[in-house]
Amino acid sequence: MSTPSDTLRQWGEALKRALRGLLGRGDAPQPVPVRVKAGTVALLAALVVGAQAQPQNVVFILSDDHRYDFFSAHPDAPDFLSTPAMDRMATEGAHLANAFVTTSLCSPSRASILTGRYAHNHGVVDNTSPIPEGTRFFPQDLQAQGYATAYVGKWHMGEVDDEPQPGFDRWVSFRGQGPYENPLLNIDGEQVQHEGYTTDILTDYAVEWLREGRDPSKPFFLELSHKAVHAEFLPAPRHRGVYADVAPPYPETMDYTERNVAGKPHWVRQQRGSWHGVDYLYHGTLGPGGFDAFYRRYAETILALDESVGRVIATLEELGLAENTLVVYMGDNGFLLGEHGLIDKRNAYEESIRVPMLAWAPGWIEPGTRVEALVRNIDVAPTVLELTGTSTDIDMDGASFLGLLPGGATAGGEGREFLYEYYWEYAFPHTPTTFALRGDRYKFIYYHGVWDTEELYDLSMDPEERVNLIAVPSLQETVSAMRSRLFDRLSEDDAMRVPMRRGNWNADDRLLYD
């Protein structure tokens, strides 16, 4: 139930938005020729003072392959992991505990973030797809609204393209996945070779732009888009060996047991002996230590990423910008670390499609807020546009979650069912084209082009997705209804088609099981 103070705060926020629209968005408001009584002015002033201003600036920090539970403030995080900067965002701001991606793959997810659209609508369906002509990204709308904008880091839409993209005043990027060390960066159209660790170098550029590169008279949008922690992992030199003595906690579904494989599709059983499976990961090319070393390197690589988050927040505080800036941290997709005998992402299991999402805005977001409602990567663009009061011509599939952020100890509740899609890639043939509906309770998974079983999981009773309910007689109405909703949604979007891409290299070797 709303309290009088809640109502006052809401009035104040509405008033501030209205006043900002009247007074403009610069640092110094301009006089407006409006006649009001002195008492009205006093009332308006009291309302404004009673509510913390909604921030104008946005810093969006995007990581790669960062699974949802790998920051130390998360209740399911490994005991040994330490990520103080991300923890600070969670404790001083909001943890969006049910954040998901609609395609668990680098390029499609990044395109969904910047367009607010599903992959079948924006057309960047895999990691080699070029950006379709006429594509518009929401920072172009911010730029037209008068925002200073910058993009620093991994772009990876179009495998070989690192040229500056429309919508950004400042551009720092590299081709494709890029290296963990000594990157060749495209700086506003000029190729510049660098020495050092890429996570640190990208953070240097982001901090430099905040300090010196932007027009201080304008509000700003900065995206800092990291390569880390993309496989194959390489920690910063200062972090190598930090977790050398850690014994990785194997998930219960990792072992190749009758219970773990019962009801699972055949492709899942086969993939555990492939490039993306625990029995033959990367075809045995990772060197000594196997899965355990792989796991430790993943955890160590996150440490520089966490330091990057801390440096950005510290810079905002030093510049006096913290209370007028919303910082959002998010992963572009999840990552399996042994669940169901698999590594990597792409599939529709929880560890693949769930991502960490944190929001920090001192004085606006109440410390310790936990957002329970389901949010998606396609919701980022409409959220930023609502925050900044910016309109767009992009036909977005997402919806703003802005109203959930300042909401208190918990925000939201039961969320919404969303569509998941992944399209088969020639380079990694072990994961089939996948469509799924994921709701608060049930997840239905359908595979296209393979003769295999569908999947249905009751996530409230079986969060580890161990028991496939697809053939349970009492749930056939649920299966039929979810299958119908899935195809209805695809049909409504003219998405009843599967894209094909030319391929050359192929990780098709696999172990044979008796």
Side-chain angles (χ1 to χ4, degrees):
M1 179 179 296
S2 297
T3 65
S5 61
D6 291 332
T7 303
L8 181 62
R9 184 173 64 241
Q10 292 167 5
W11 285 352
E13 289 293 345
L15 176 62
K16 285 183 179 185
R17 287 193 291 271
L19 288 176
R20 277 211 302 270
L22 288 171
L23 301 179
R25 292 185 174 273
D27 292 336
Q30 300 300 310
V32 180
V34 178
R35 296 182 182 274
V36 293
K37 295 181 179 180
T40 303
V41 172
L43 174 61
L44 294 179
L47 287 172
V48 171
V49 170
Q52 171 64 39
Q54 183 171 287
Q56 287 182 290
N57 309 311
V58 180
V59 175
F60 182 69
I61 305 174
L62 184 65
S63 60
D64 201 310
D65 284 3
H66 189 184
R67 54 183 283 151
Y68 75 100
D69 55 359
F70 251 64
F71 64 97
S72 47
H74 194 284
D76 298 327
D79 292 339
F80 65 85
L81 189 65
S82 177
T83 55
M86 296 180 198
D87 294 356
R88 182 184 177 191
M89 287 190 69
T91 56
E92 295 182 5
H95 174 207
L96 290 89
N98 287 295
F100 294 84
V101 295
T102 53
T103 301
S104 184
L105 191 64
C106 305
S107 300
S109 181
R110 289 164 183 263
S112 289
I113 289 167
L114 286 170
T115 64
R117 311 188 77 197
Y118 280 110
H120 63 258
N121 283 329
H122 61 59
V124 182
V125 296
D126 59 27
N127 283 346
T128 60
S129 296
I131 301 170
E133 186 175 350
T135 298
R136 185 175 181 85
F137 301 113
F138 80 83
Q140 292 173 258
D141 298 307
L142 295 178
Q143 197 177 49
Q145 180 81 353
Y147 268 68
T149 59
Y151 192 95
V152 178
K154 178 178 175 179
W155 178 253
H156 200 210
M157 282 175 267
E159 184 71 24
V160 297
D161 189 6
D162 64 358
E163 288 301 307
Q165 297 293 322
F168 300 102
D169 305 320
R170 178 63 162 166
W171 179 263
V172 179
S173 191
F174 47 78
R175 294 183 180 180
Q177 294 287 0
Y180 268 110
E181 294 182 312
N182 306 327
L184 177 64
L185 298 182
N186 185 317
I187 312 296
D188 294 328
E190 179 182 354
Q191 298 291 329
V192 181
Q193 183 64 54
H194 292 69
E195 293 186 3
Y197 191 64
T198 300
T199 301
D200 298 338
I201 293 169
L202 297 178
T203 308
D204 290 343
Y205 274 106
V207 167
E208 178 187 44
W209 186 78
L210 287 172
R211 290 186 181 280
E212 304 171 0
R214 62 187 178 86
D215 183 342
S217 69
K218 296 181 177 181
F220 63 82
F221 173 82
L222 164 66
E223 177 164 344
L224 173 55
S225 178
H226 284 290
K227 171 188 173 61
V229 284
H230 193 280
E232 301 168 11
F233 321 120
L234 183 64
R238 62 188 177 276
H239 297 139
R240 292 171 195 172
V242 168
Y243 295 135
D245 297 329
V246 164
Y250 297 164
E252 292 186 8
T253 59
M254 180 171 168
D255 291 336
Y256 193 42
T257 63
E258 184 175 6
R259 180 187 178 192
N260 282 341
V261 302
K264 280 287 183 289
H266 290 288
W267 73 262
V268 174
R269 307 183 201 184
Q270 293 172 337
Q271 185 170 315
R272 69 177 295 126
S274 78
W275 185 271
H276 288 152
V278 297
D279 291 348
Y280 198 32
L281 67 168
Y282 295 91
H283 294 171
T285 62
L286 294 182
F291 176 83
D292 288 4
F294 180 77
Y295 183 103
R296 294 186 193 104
R297 284 196 296 270
Y298 181 80
E300 291 172 353
T301 303
I302 286 174
L303 299 180
L305 184 62
D306 185 69
E307 291 174 354
S308 172
V309 172
R311 287 182 60 196
V312 170
I313 288 177
T315 300
L316 293 171
E317 291 178 320
E318 291 168 12
L319 297 176
L321 295 168
E323 292 192 354
N324 198 26
T325 303
L326 169 65
V327 180
V328 176
Y329 175 86
M330 183 182 184
D332 70 347
N333 49 248
F335 201 84
L336 287 87
L337 287 170
E339 289 82 7
H340 314 293
L342 309 180
I343 61 167
D344 194 63
K345 57 261 187 177
R346 294 175 166 85
N347 58 66
Y349 295 129
E350 290 291 280
E351 295 79 14
S352 170
I353 67 176
R354 291 186 70 174
V355 293
M357 181 180 274
L358 306 167
W360 184 82
W364 185 61
I365 298 178
E366 292 190 26
T369 293
R370 180 180 170 92
V371 177
E372 298 288 356
L374 188 153
V375 298
R376 309 158 296 178
N377 55 348
I378 58 175
D379 299 331
V380 170
T383 299
V384 174
L385 293 180
E386 183 183 0
L387 175 75
T388 59
T390 303
S391 60
T392 184
D393 291 331
I394 303 172
D395 184 13
M396 294 186 175
D397 300 309
S400 173
F401 56 83
L402 186 68
L404 298 175
L405 294 181
T410 59
E414 292 191 358
R416 54 183 177 271
E417 186 177 77
F418 74 96
L419 171 69
Y420 177 80
E421 59 186 334
Y422 164 77
Y423 297 97
W424 180 85
E425 301 165 273
Y426 181 86
F428 302 106
H430 16 270
T431 305
T433 293
T434 302
F435 298 100
L437 285 184
R438 202 280 189 192
D440 288 318
R441 180 173 181 182
Y442 289 109
K443 179 192 292 181
F444 171 75
I445 310 175
Y446 166 83
Y447 300 106
H448 177 82
V450 292
W451 187 11
D452 217 329
T453 183
E454 298 169 333
E455 295 176 89
L456 178 73
Y457 295 102
D458 184 341
L459 299 172
S460 65
M461 301 293 292
D462 180 25
E464 295 178 335
E465 298 169 296
R466 303 185 76 165
V467 181
N468 185 4
L469 303 173
I470 198 68
V472 173
S474 62
L475 290 172
Q476 290 313 294
E477 287 188 10
T478 298
V479 171
S480 179
M482 293 191 77
R483 186 186 293 117
S484 294
R485 289 200 301 274
L486 172 66
F487 283 105
D488 287 347
R489 293 188 68 166
L490 292 171
S491 180
E492 290 168 3
D493 266 11
D494 190 28
M496 297 284 283
R497 46 190 164 77
V498 175
M500 295 183 64
R501 293 289 181 269
R502 187 188 301 270
N504 294 305
W505 180 81
N506 183 276
D508 61 350
D509 194 19
R510 61 186 172 188
L511 298 179
L512 295 177
Y513 296 102
D514 293 335

